[in-house]
Amino acid sequence: MSPFLTRPYRSGPPRAKAARSVSHFKLRHYLALRSLEPLGADRYTARADVTIKGVTRPLAFPVDLRLTDGRAHLTGAFVVDRTQFGIGTTGPWNRLVDRRVTVRVQLQARPA
């Protein structure tokens, strides 16, 4: 096994940082926001489609949406079960990342 593959997973924080790095694994994932349903104040339910490795699934998750200085700031998070996208179902690497992974979303937008 190469040192590159073993070094990030030996202990503590380096493992956690490597596991969260999208560029480290060169993953391609897409989130298509479909709608925002108001819950009150700055809280909304976001309805979206998430596509990972060519598999698309609908989901709903809570977000905060704030308007400041002419910009929209949206933050939220959702949990993905990797097995629903064909990830983590076979192979020796399955135990390195939990089956359920939290995805945090941050978006800033301004008028064109």
Side-chain angles (χ1 to χ4, degrees):
M1 190 179 282
S2 83
F4 174 75
L5 294 175
T6 58
R7 195 175 315 128
Y9 301 103
R10 289 209 172 151
S11 66
R15 176 182 178 208
K17 184 176 181 182
R20 286 189 299 239
S21 171
V22 172
S23 63
H24 176 76
F25 291 106
K26 305 223 183 300
L27 296 176
R28 295 181 68 97
H29 64 277
Y30 301 96
L31 180 69
L33 185 62
R34 300 292 176 212
S35 67
L36 291 173
E37 300 169 2
L39 296 174
D42 294 335
R43 302 282 298 157
Y44 293 82
T45 295
R47 299 212 178 269
D49 293 329
V50 64
T51 301
I52 302 173
K53 294 187 80 169
V55 178
T56 302
R57 300 275 188 254
L59 60 102
F61 60 99
V63 296
D64 290 324
L65 177 62
R66 294 191 170 90
L67 300 174
T68 56
D69 299 327
R71 292 178 185 239
H73 302 271
L74 182 136
T75 57
F78 58 90
V79 175
V80 171
D81 180 339
R82 297 180 319 116
T83 62
Q84 291 182 351
F85 297 90
I87 303 170
T89 56
T90 61
W93 298 99
N94 292 336
R95 290 171 279 176
L96 293 176
V97 178
D98 288 338
R99 178 179 165 190
R100 296 173 50 91
V101 177
T102 299
V103 178
R104 288 179 176 76
V105 177
Q106 293 182 344
L107 172 73
Q108 291 187 24
R110 61 183 163 89

